[in-house]
Every structure is written in C-alpha cells, then in structure tokens.
Amino acid sequence: MLKTLFSISFFSLLLSIPSFHGQSYFQQEVNYTIEVRLDDKNHFLHGFEKFVYHNNSKDTMSVLFIHLWPNAYKNSKSALARQQMRGGDFFLLYAGQGDRGFIDSLHFKVDGIDATHKPHEGFEDIAIIELPKSLQPGESITVTTPFRVKLPSGTISRLGHIGESYQITQWYPKPAVYDLNGWHEMPYLNQGEFYSEFGSFDVKITLPENYTVGATGDLQTTSEIQRLDSLAKLPLNVKPFINELGEAYYPPSSTKMKTLHYVQSNVHDFGWFADKTWNVRKGETTLPHSKRKVTTWAMFTPEEAVLWDKGALKAINDGLYYYSLWSGDYPYNQCTAVDGTISAGGGMEYPNVTVIGRTGSASGLATVIIHEVGHNWFYGILASNERDNAWMDEGLNSFFETRTILATNPNMPKLGITAGNKNIERMLQLDDLSYQYVTEELAYLLTARNYADQPMQLPSDYYSNINYGAIVYKKTALAFNYLMNYLGEDMMNQCMSAYYKEWKFRHPEPENLQAVFEKTSGKNLDWFFDRLINTKERVDYKVRGTRFQGNGKSNEPMEVHVKNSGEIAGPFSIDVYRDGKFISRKWFDGIEPLSSQRVTVNALKGDVIKINNTFGIPEYKRSNNLSRTKGVFRKIEPLQLSFLSGVDHPEKSRLFWAPLTGWNNYNKWMLGLVLHNTTLPKQDFSWRIAPLYSPSTNWLNGYAMLEKDNGQIAFGARTQRFASGIQQTPTSSQIYGYRLWSPYIKINVFPRRFKKDWTGYFKAEWIFLRGKLQKETNDIELHDFALYYTEPRNEGEMNIVRFTFNTDKKMVRSSLNLKSDLQSGEFNSWGLMWQNEMTFDYIYRGKGKRHWTTRAYFGLTNGEVKLSAAGQNGANDYLFDGHMMGRQETSGLLSRQYLNTQGGLFLPSGSFLYSNDGLFSIRTAIDAPIRLPVNIYAGMALDGEFNYIGTAGIGLPIVRNIFEIYLPLVHMDENGVKSLTDGVYFRDLIGFQLNLDLANPFNLVKKIQ
C-alpha cells in the first residue's frame, strides 16, 4: 500500500481529534436508492443515486469522503495503475481511451442543497463533499447525485466489460467508512479489497430485454423471476457463439428494454453482472440450524457449461451449508454464482453474488465457488477491514474453504492441473501426501524457506504477489487449522459461532476476534494472535529422544524429550504409532523458544513417536519430528530414491537422481548423472554431485556443491573438473584440464523489510585452481585455429580471493543492478594480481514489455590479468565462472562465446581492445518494436591510454540473459568507422552468450521460491 494511503486529510484530522479516545464502538449506516441504465452500444452506465447517511458517532461531521472508484481506470496515475505496474502489468499505462474508464456527471446535493466536492489530494477516485450544514451526532442527511460511468475493458480489473458481457462492481459513489479510527478513504486497488458501511439497497437496473442478470439482493420483478425459472428448465447450451470466421460474438441486443428491481438490507455493497449467452440453473439448500431454505442460482456461458451444469449448484449449496454449520446460518434468501470475465483473480465476491473466471476442471470450479460463496461470511457479514487486516477475510475464508472441501470432496485433486487424474499426482509424487499439505503447507513453505515470508498481519498492499497468496490465504488457513486441532473441533465451532453472533453485520478488528476466542475457550491465546499472526516467527518442534519409564512393557508411560527449535511457544502434539498404526495423540502447552522439556505420554508400547503430526499446520521443518523407540538410527526418516525432483516429503528423506549429459571441445560428449536433495520448497542444507564420464578422453569429470543457508548467512563450497584445452604439435597432442575448489560465505546486506526496494548480498570466496597435463594422444584432429604452447596455460596453481557486492533496486517500470568485484591473489606463473570492477545494469520496460537496457563497466587491474572490451570468452575466463564450450579457442565459433562481463561489447574477431591498467565501457540496447526477439545495440570502450573502440549491430535475445546472439554491423576505432559485413566470415563476426548457469534447473528452482 502506498505510503500516502495512510495520510489523513486536514479535514479528517480536524474531525477526528476531539472525541475518538474513549468513544465506544459505533458504525455508520448508509441506505441507497439507485436507478441505472446500461448503454451496451457505447458501454456506459447512466444513473441517479440517493443515499441516506446516518451519523451514529458522537462526532460532528462537516465533510463526507466519497469513493469514486471507476476513476481508478482513468489514467496511469491512479493507485490501481501504480500497483499494477509494480507487479509488471502496464496495460493502464498504454491503454487507449476505449479501454479506460471513469465516473463523471456528478452533482451532489445534500438535503436538496447544492454541495461542492473536490478530489482527494493524490487520488482522483476519492472525493470530498463539503456539507452545507454540519451533521450532528444521531442525525442523518440525504445525498443525491446523477452519475455516468464509462465502463473500462474487463481485462484491467473487476469493473468492466468484455464485448457485451458486463461485470458491474464498485460502480456508484459510495461514502468511505468512518469509525473509531477516523475516515478510511482508500483508493481502488487490485490487491487489497474493500471496506464499506452497512445499510440497505433499493436498485433498479434498466437494460435490453434479452440480458440475464445476476445481482445482489432479492429480485422483485415478477416477470423476470418467471423468465429465470423458464431459462432454468431449458436444455444445456454448450455451443459457443462463434461466427463463420471463428470469432466470438454476442447475439444482437433486444430493442425492447426492461427494468429489474432488487432490494437487500444488512449488506455493504451491491454488484451485478449481465450477459446474453448464459445458461441458467436453479437450486435450493436447507440451512442446518434454522432449516430455512435458500434459493441458489448458477448462470454460465457455453464454454464451460458441462462443468457448471454438473457441479456449480452443488458447490454453492455445500458452501452455504457448511459455513452456516460451523459459524451461523446464511441470513439472506438467495445466492448466485455467475461465469464471467474476472481479471483480479480466479473469482470475486459481492453480497449474495460471486463472479467466477475460467477454471478448467470440476475440482477447480468447486474450489473457487466454495471460496467465493464463503466470502458472504468473511467480508460480507463479518466485514473486517481487508485493506488493513486481510487475513481476517481471505485467511479465515480459506480455512473454512479447506474444511468444506475435506467434508464434501474427500478425493479432491491436490492440484487443479491434475483435474482428478491420479496418474499425474503419482508422477508429481503427490499421491501419498495430504490435500492440506500440498495446497497449504507447501505454499507457505515455498516462501518461508526462501526467507521471503511476511507476517500475516500487514496492510494488503505491503505484500509481494506471491506472499499475498502464500501468507494471507494459505498460512492463515494453516494457523487456524493449528488452533482448531489444539482446541478441538467442537470448541473451534463454538468460538466461531460466538464470533458470528457477536459481530455479524459489524466491523470486527483482530482484538475483537481474539477476545471472543479467549472468552469462549477459556485459554490465553497470545501465542497465536500476538506472535503467530503478527510476526514471521516459526513453529518448529523437534523430538530429541524417547525412553520408557519402566521396562518397556505394554501400557507403561513413555518420556519424550522435546525441544522448541522455533520462535513461538505454541502448543504441540505427540502421536504414538505401533506397527504403522496410529494409537494416540496428546496435546501439550507450548515450550519457550530454544528450550527443552520432557513430557510423558501413555505409550502402549509404541514404536514410533511423531511431534506435530497434524498436517495442515505451519510446522517449519518436519524432518526432525520423528523418533523410533528402538534401533540405532532412531531419528532418521526412511530414504526414498526418486527421479528428477519433487516436493519435500514430510516423512521421508528424498534422494533424487537424473541422467546428465555434457559437451566441450576437449572432453567431447560426457555421460553421467546428478544426485541431489533439491526439493520444493528448498532445504536449509542443499547439495548435489554430478559425475560425468568422457569416453573420448577416458576421464571422470563433473561438479559438486553444498550449501548451508539460514536466510541471512550462507556457507558453501563448489568444485568442478573438466578438460580445458589441447596442446598440439605437428606430431602429438596433449589434453590438459583443471580442478577447481571454492569455499564461500554469502551475507544478505539489506534487512528484510515489509516492502523491499533494495536487495543485495556480500560474498567472499576463495578460488583455488590447479591445472595439469592429463593425457597425451595422437588421435585428436589438428585444427587450423589451434594454439601452440611450450607449456599449458593452466599448469600450476592459482589462488584468488574474490569479494563481491551485488545489489538490485526494483522500481515500477525499471530495475537497477550494481555489482562491485574485487579480486586479489597469485597465479603460479603470472605473479601477484589484483583487479577491481564495477558494473551498472539498468533495465527499463516499455510498451509491450520491450526492454531498454544500459550497461556501464569500470575496471582497474595491475596488468597480470588483462581486461577485455569484448567481454570474457573461454580463453580469458580465468576464474572459470562460465560453462564455456571452448576454453582454449581464440578463433572460430567457439571462441565467440562470451560472458556478459568486463567490457561486454561482443566484438568481432580482429577488433579487440585489451587493457593492462583500466577499462571503461558502455553498451545500450533497445528492443525493436516488433514481436520477434530483436534489438538494436551500440557500445564503446576506452582504456587507460585513451585507446577506444566501438561497435553497433543487431542483437537476438532468444532467451533473455541465457541465450543471446550479437551481430555487429559497424566498427569504430582510431582509424574511423567502417562496416563489418563485407569480407568477414559469419563465424568470426557473430558473438553469442550461452549462460547455462541461469538455465540451470537448480537455480530456476531457487528463483521460483
């Protein structure tokens, strides 16, 4: 959330100071009467609104803050546009007027008297109405205004249209919430939803007669009720509306108009959706407590008609029944789900009605509908401020969603992409994992074990995109499932029922929820609400050992030594197993962090003890939760050998393997395999080893690495061995290679903040390299471009210490990388060397995600190692940073493989510039305005003696930063400018980058997390 979001205007501040302190709970009431007409030819709404505003506070009010949220779509300066651009979505920046939206034609009157209004400073989607007369405590005013809404493209967010399919949400002028904390004026955002006053709605919608509408409220129009009933009985239409050109179209709108009348009380919003192609299905469910019947509607297009016809009503009914069962009965008469365009997630909720996007599977449809129907409780009836307390809405709702799914769909696929296919689940190694572990625990652990998680209690806009799902939704669901297992399901239901009864149709805060739970359960839950909810602290218990208190006979008590390796003194459970069968479970109150305690359980001669074995709780590390009562390796989990990779199994130690091939110009083809423990989510300790055999040289090559990372400091080491060149004479050839070993320490230098602009690390590594003649042969073909040495370049030893500082700054449309590299050490035959480099990389992302990149480099050296204006190829990658196919080559195609280091100009053969002292270079590249991966680049370099060289040409970023080709067309030096396209072999002209390190699947896994 933008910092200015928390600023309180001068008017609001004046109003709020006098009487907030000590004032008891109150909430305002707003009752609306709205008439609106849809113009589906020009995509406008024409409306008139009247609302009665009741001041239930003890404060005298002189202004009203009004949300004009359609103005969020007006231009690229809105808070919505800025939020989307931070996430990489630049549609609103470049959208034409036809795609944008707004609200205008406003003329506010208060009790019939004209009232002036002005935009809130910084937000065009918030207005301030100056009241002609102060509104006293206990009084009410009537506000009226006409309004016109230009409906934006439905691809932007929640309000809009796709063709003649309409989603009309956040569409009318609406007063902001005024409560004990003052005004909650807030701009429209995608991430972070809404906070509105309760009241009633009386809405009349006029539109062409052949539209079907799903809306908030009870439909009062008898003729339309009869029409919907008749549509619900029609055969299913599964044929999309496609013309002879294969283009989607909508049936012509009727020239006859109709007016639909809806009413509803005890709601805080009104949404409606209209489409001419919908199928309609009608159902009914009986509520568990009152036995009252609720009408349910499903309205859906032909595209996913079979899925909707089979499962939509059941999902709506399931959600209504179980949410009512576990908290309190649904208070309204109808509930509708519509199939529509939704661009802010898989579905979006409004009172009595929800819109669902494409889901692709029956399980996906059921999951989204249950979740969105559930928002009638958590957002609708229990109307917490999601902009500040998103977990009270999305998180609690996700907890109930999972409970409902487990109660109604016990065989629900663990991932939507499996669509019920158990073979796919087995292939992904999910078949023996629980639904909650896969859908919730893994989601949380992906970000937590990458040390990028955030607390559950934060303003919505403070979350990264991944954490909004992984923390707000999934971790909160885990947390409340943890609490339910501790309290017991019956007590959990009592707490939720008490919360519902006390706070329905009100605006609860976190402290209100805690007070209800503690009063109902009789327990102090500070560990949960103060620590688990408000911090990133972890739940992580481990079993240190077990022993029977007697002679190990049946029914003897067992003493279990438990340590809290986490940071929260939350409760823990101990499960006893015998012969693989569950025997008993006992819960204990928490142990202080980093402390140990011995507890006693009735063992019944159990042979396995498990701590916190309840899946669906935020246990950080389950590999230390098991202990056998007998044997040598009591705490070692069963070992499972698996192909490729997989998820971290909570009860097995997984060893992964995969076949591996490699090639370079000296070893030729190499065959081998990689063994590793890389999982999703990652482990704190990771390792891999990859032996590779070269039949051509009869060498065993390969690489290995290990790393221990706690999120702030990482210790590791890497080693590798490959052939690196050929020493050829007219009568013989000798292959030589290198062995490298490099330990390192890496420290994150920026503290992890809630909103990170800068990230960076400091890395110190010692690089020890030994090169030696390895094999003599007469079988290797001599090449015209081979080098002749009196002794191999890499024979002997090299000891280099390298210090690297690397930092990134991410901005809305650009990013900046700064890297400083200091090297010092000794080559066996080259002498003492030192080198200092600084690199600046700036990337600007323009229209159509086109890149404009600029790279500047400055380096100094004492001459033992020369700096290259072209960048480092195999011949001068002396620290073996890259995977080079021809390390010895100085001509030919393999010599044209460069790292994007040092000068980085990718110069053609014969156009080199090396420096023994200093080098400065700059290169810029602009993507061409076409859809193909093509850019135009230019650059120049200058050494310490003011010799210079420049080049320009065409680049092909086929896979950006991984595989890029550079074709220089123009060359410039002290002899002038000349074209390079004539008389030069293409292989000597082209330069390319093949950065296999970035394409390494292990590094990709890190980036995913």
Side-chain angles (χ1 to χ4, degrees):
M1 185 174 293
L2 299 175
K3 185 176 181 181
T4 51
L5 186 62
F6 293 102
S7 65
I8 301 176
S9 72
F10 177 73
F11 294 105
S12 178
L13 185 61
L14 288 177
L15 289 173
S16 63
I17 290 174
S19 56
F20 280 172
H21 300 290
Q23 184 169 322
S24 60
Y25 178 85
F26 70 89
Q27 66 187 50
Q28 311 292 58
E29 181 181 342
V30 186
N31 298 315
Y32 297 86
T33 301
I34 305 175
E35 295 182 0
V36 64
R37 175 176 58 86
L38 171 65
D39 173 4
D40 66 343
K41 289 184 173 56
N42 300 299
H43 309 300
F44 274 92
L45 298 178
H46 300 271
F48 186 86
E49 173 182 270
K50 177 178 75 174
F51 64 81
V52 179
Y53 186 93
H54 297 270
N55 181 12
N56 296 323
S57 75
K58 296 181 180 180
D59 303 316
T60 299
M61 308 179 72
S62 60
V63 299
L64 290 183
F65 284 86
I66 303 291
H67 292 137
L68 304 177
W69 278 330
N71 279 343
Y73 304 85
K74 190 174 183 178
N75 53 48
S76 61
K77 298 178 182 179
S78 69
L80 171 65
R82 296 197 297 268
Q83 186 189 65
Q84 290 183 329
M85 286 189 287
R86 288 199 304 272
D89 182 354
F90 299 97
F91 185 91
L92 263 174
L93 177 65
Y94 301 112
Q97 290 303 314
D99 288 327
R100 291 177 174 174
F102 55 80
I103 184 170
D104 65 7
S105 304
L106 299 165
H107 183 182
F108 288 104
K109 292 186 177 182
V110 178
D111 292 332
I113 303 173
D114 287 346
T116 61
H117 73 279
K118 60 184 179 181
H120 187 291
E121 183 178 354
F123 301 115
E124 286 190 79
D125 55 349
I126 304 172
I128 305 172
I129 299 178
E130 296 184 8
L131 302 181
K133 178 183 176 183
S134 295
L135 178 60
Q136 300 298 318
E139 294 183 348
S140 62
I141 54 174
T142 299
V143 180
T144 62
T145 184
F147 65 93
R148 184 181 70 150
V149 176
K150 164 65 172 62
L151 296 171
S153 166
T155 61
I156 298 174
S157 189
R158 300 176 178 94
L159 168 68
H161 71 99
I162 299 293
E164 293 173 7
S165 179
Y166 294 90
Q167 52 183 39
I168 312 301
T169 63
Q170 313 302 338
W171 53 283
Y172 54 91
K174 177 195 296 187
V177 171
Y178 183 76
D179 61 16
L180 284 170
N181 298 310
W183 284 105
H184 293 271
E185 73 273 28
M186 55 182 67
Y188 180 97
L189 295 175
N190 257 3
Q191 183 169 295
E193 292 165 12
F194 312 109
Y195 189 39
S196 305
E197 302 285 15
F198 277 99
S200 65
F201 285 84
D202 187 316
V203 179
K204 293 180 179 178
I205 302 168
T206 301
L207 73 174
E209 192 176 45
N210 57 334
Y211 275 92
T212 300
V213 173
T216 297
D218 296 336
L219 179 60
Q220 305 296 300
T221 310
T222 302
S223 59
E224 187 67 11
I225 295 173
Q226 293 171 348
R227 177 178 175 270
L228 291 177
D229 286 339
S230 64
L231 289 176
K233 298 174 183 177
L234 292 179
L236 189 67
N237 176 23
V238 298
K239 185 178 180 181
F241 289 82
I242 303 293
N243 62 23
E244 60 275 7
L245 299 177
E247 300 169 335
Y249 74 95
Y250 290 89
S253 294
S254 173
T255 57
K256 185 178 180 181
M257 305 294 280
K258 65 182 177 183
T259 297
L260 309 181
H261 185 197
Y262 296 88
V263 297
Q264 188 59 270
S265 59
N266 285 327
V267 292
H268 52 72
D269 201 1
F270 189 100
W272 59 281
F273 307 86
D275 197 294
K276 293 178 286 188
T277 68
W278 278 340
N279 292 276
V280 176
R281 290 295 181 263
K282 182 179 182 181
E284 187 178 74
T285 190
T286 302
L287 300 178
H289 301 296
S290 65
K291 307 303 179 185
R292 187 168 55 84
K293 295 185 183 300
V294 175
T295 302
T296 53
W297 297 94
M299 302 174 180
F300 49 93
T301 63
E303 280 74 12
E304 289 192 331
V306 174
L307 292 178
W308 276 75
D309 188 54
K310 183 178 180 180
L313 286 177
K314 180 183 184 302
I316 299 170
N317 294 341
D318 286 346
L320 290 174
Y321 179 85
Y322 282 97
Y323 277 69
S324 295
L325 178 67
W326 294 322
S327 56
D329 276 356
Y330 183 73
Y332 310 112
N333 296 322
Q334 67 91 12
C335 186
T336 301
V338 304
D339 173 11
T341 55
I342 172 67
S343 305
M348 183 59 201
E349 70 279 0
Y350 301 92
N352 313 149
V353 63
T354 179
V355 58
I356 309 295
R358 295 287 181 265
T359 59
S361 68
S363 59
L365 180 65
T367 300
V368 177
I369 288 180
I370 289 171
H371 181 90
E372 302 306 334
V373 167
H375 273 302
N376 278 283
W377 280 262
F378 304 105
Y379 149 84
I381 303 165
L382 297 160
S384 55
N385 181 357
E386 186 177 355
R387 202 63 71 87
D388 289 343
N389 309 304
W391 63 271
M392 295 184 71
D393 176 357
E394 299 294 357
L396 271 168
N397 189 44
S398 295
F399 164 65
F400 271 80
E401 168 207 322
T402 299
R403 289 187 74 187
T404 304
I405 287 172
L406 294 178
T408 59
N409 301 273
N411 295 317
M412 177 70 76
K414 300 178 180 71
L415 292 177
I417 59 173
T418 66
N421 190 324
K422 296 299 181 181
N423 291 327
I424 297 178
E425 289 191 4
R426 280 192 290 271
M427 181 184 71
L428 296 174
Q429 303 176 39
L430 306 175
D431 49 309
D432 64 339
L433 298 174
S434 72
Y435 176 84
Q436 283 180 296
Y437 183 76
V438 173
T439 60
E440 293 179 347
E441 280 195 59
L442 287 181
Y444 155 62
L445 292 174
L446 277 172
T447 181
R449 289 205 194 154
N450 205 39
Y451 313 105
D453 54 326
Q454 296 170 272
M456 287 176 263
Q457 175 63 61
L458 281 180
S460 295
D461 195 40
Y462 275 34
Y463 290 99
S464 64
N465 289 338
I466 188 172
N467 276 340
Y468 197 63
I471 301 300
V472 173
Y473 287 69
K474 300 303 184 181
K475 187 182 179 183
T476 308
L478 291 173
F480 277 89
N481 193 60
Y482 180 23
L483 183 62
M484 181 176 70
N485 278 273
Y486 168 59
L487 296 177
E489 189 168 359
D490 288 343
M491 178 54 66
M492 187 70 174
N493 293 340
Q494 291 180 43
C495 291
M496 289 306 307
S497 296
Y499 176 53
Y500 179 85
K501 182 177 180 180
E502 183 171 346
W503 286 97
K504 64 181 178 180
F505 310 132
R506 302 173 77 190
H507 299 302
E509 299 280 343
E511 57 268 25
N512 306 131
L513 179 62
Q514 179 176 358
V516 170
F517 267 66
E518 290 188 335
K519 179 180 178 181
T520 306
S521 68
K523 293 183 177 292
N524 184 320
L525 299 177
D526 285 346
W527 65 269
F528 183 85
F529 288 98
D530 291 349
R531 305 297 292 276
L532 189 56
I533 295 291
N534 281 284
T535 73
K536 296 192 301 179
E537 294 174 345
R538 294 165 180 160
V539 176
D540 187 15
Y541 281 98
K542 67 182 293 185
V543 56
R544 303 190 69 175
T546 63
R547 68 178 183 182
F548 286 100
Q549 292 184 341
N551 298 317
K553 297 180 180 180
S554 178
N555 295 322
E556 285 182 347
M558 178 185 291
E559 187 179 83
V560 183
H561 191 188
V562 179
K563 180 179 180 180
N564 185 353
S565 297
E567 301 145 308
I568 295 178
F572 62 94
S573 64
I574 294 182
D575 290 5
V576 179
Y577 283 78
R578 185 174 67 241
D579 298 329
K581 296 181 180 179
F582 173 77
I583 301 299
S584 65
R585 172 177 296 159
K586 184 176 180 180
W587 279 91
F588 298 86
D589 287 331
I591 302 171
E592 288 301 311
L594 304 180
S595 299
S596 297
Q597 184 175 320
R598 298 182 186 275
V599 298
T600 301
V601 296
N602 188 10
L604 296 176
K605 207 172 184 179
D607 53 22
V608 173
I609 298 297
K610 297 179 181 180
I611 293 183
N612 276 356
N613 191 45
T614 303
F615 293 110
I617 67 174
E619 176 75 12
Y620 180 75
K621 186 177 181 181
R622 292 188 178 273
S623 60
N624 56 16
N625 288 21
L626 175 146
S627 178
R628 297 173 186 82
T629 59
K630 296 179 181 179
V632 179
F633 302 105
R634 295 188 177 191
K635 292 187 284 187
I636 301 298
E637 296 176 318
L639 182 65
Q640 181 185 55
L641 184 65
S642 301
F643 182 58
L644 292 179
S645 187
V647 301
D648 180 25
H649 198 291
E651 295 185 327
K652 297 177 183 177
S653 295
R654 282 184 164 173
L655 173 63
F656 298 101
W657 71 277
L660 193 65
T661 61
W663 186 91
N664 64 46
N665 199 37
Y666 319 111
N667 291 123
K668 303 303 180 182
W669 284 105
M670 295 170 283
L671 303 175
L673 76 158
V674 58
L675 300 171
H676 67 91
N677 74 332
T678 302
T679 60
L680 285 172
K682 77 179 187 69
Q683 309 289 331
D684 290 347
F685 176 73
S686 60
W687 61 269
R688 61 181 176 269
I689 181 170
L692 285 161
Y693 174 69
S694 165
S696 175
T697 58
N698 195 29
W699 282 7
L700 183 63
N701 302 309
Y703 65 90
M705 63 77 59
L706 57 85
E707 182 180 83
K708 176 68 174 178
D709 181 6
N710 70 359
Q712 190 63 42
I713 301 177
F715 299 90
R718 63 185 177 99
T719 183
Q720 59 195 55
R721 167 182 165 169
F722 292 98
S724 56
I726 306 170
Q727 182 184 12
Q728 296 180 332
T729 71
T731 59
S732 67
S733 300
Q734 291 177 311
I735 302 173
Y736 57 91
Y738 72 92
R739 289 172 290 174
L740 179 146
W741 181 72
S742 175
Y744 63 86
I745 179 173
K746 183 177 177 182
I747 303 171
N748 286 320
V749 295
F750 287 100
R752 293 191 176 274
R753 299 173 181 147
F754 296 151
K755 293 188 70 172
K756 296 177 295 182
D757 295 321
W758 291 90
T759 58
Y761 65 83
F762 171 80
K763 185 177 181 181
E765 57 185 325
W766 172 42
I767 301 170
F768 172 78
L769 183 136
R770 184 176 181 84
K772 186 177 181 180
L773 287 171
Q774 300 288 344
K775 182 178 178 64
E776 183 172 340
T777 178
N778 295 315
D779 299 331
I780 297 178
E781 178 184 356
L782 300 179
H783 298 280
D784 292 338
F785 54 83
L787 296 177
Y788 293 83
Y789 286 89
T790 56
E791 65 176 358
R793 175 175 69 91
N794 287 325
E795 184 173 12
E797 294 182 356
M798 178 183 73
N799 292 276
I800 299 292
V801 177
R802 175 162 63 180
F803 301 97
T804 302
F805 175 76
N806 190 92
T807 183
D808 293 277
K809 179 176 175 60
K810 296 189 182 300
M811 294 162 277
V812 171
R813 297 174 60 188
S814 59
S815 61
L816 175 67
N817 173 262
L818 306 176
K819 182 178 180 180
S820 179
D821 200 84
L822 174 64
Q823 304 164 19
S824 181
E826 183 177 6
F827 292 91
N828 187 42
S829 57
W830 298 6
L832 186 69
M833 62 81 66
W834 63 264
Q835 180 179 328
N836 187 28
E837 301 176 309
M838 293 192 70
T839 309
F840 305 80
D841 287 291
Y842 178 76
I843 300 174
Y844 178 84
R845 298 168 182 84
K847 187 174 183 179
K849 297 186 178 180
R850 288 194 290 270
H851 285 58
W852 181 345
T853 62
T854 299
R855 180 179 186 274
Y857 166 84
F858 176 72
L860 295 172
T861 178
N862 69 346
E864 291 298 330
V865 175
K866 296 180 179 181
L867 304 178
S868 168
Q872 291 176 287
N873 64 1
N876 57 15
D877 176 25
Y878 58 92
L879 294 183
F880 295 81
D881 287 327
H883 298 279
M884 313 300 290
M885 294 184 290
R887 289 193 173 277
Q888 175 185 332
E889 316 308 322
T890 58
S891 62
L893 182 61
L894 295 186
S895 73
R896 313 299 301 143
Q897 180 186 354
Y898 285 97
L899 302 176
N900 190 20
T901 54
Q902 295 187 358
L905 297 187
F906 297 89
L907 296 169
S909 293
S911 301
F912 296 116
L913 176 66
Y914 292 100
S915 173
N916 293 312
D917 44 23
L919 182 72
F920 170 78
S921 75
I922 187 168
R923 185 188 78 223
T924 188
I926 305 174
D927 285 355
I930 57 177
R931 294 185 178 275
L932 298 176
V934 177
N935 63 37
I936 301 170
Y937 75 92
M940 66 169 296
L942 181 72
D943 71 6
E945 298 180 355
F946 299 100
N947 298 307
Y948 65 89
I949 194 167
T951 186
I954 296 174
L956 303 174
I958 298 172
V959 182
R960 201 178 297 274
N961 297 322
I962 295 178
F963 182 41
E964 301 189 10
I965 297 173
Y966 295 86
L967 183 62
L969 301 178
V970 176
H971 171 74
M972 177 185 70
D973 57 21
E974 60 270 13
N975 297 316
V977 179
K978 63 179 180 179
S979 170
L980 298 173
T981 55
D982 298 327
V984 179
Y985 287 112
F986 183 74
R987 72 182 186 188
D988 295 328
L989 185 64
I990 187 176
F992 69 96
Q993 175 184 191
L994 182 60
N995 194 338
L996 296 178
D997 218 33
L998 287 179
N1000 185 324
F1002 299 100
N1003 292 332
L1004 291 178
V1005 165
K1006 283 187 176 182
K1007 294 187 71 173
I1008 289 173
Q1009 300 185 76

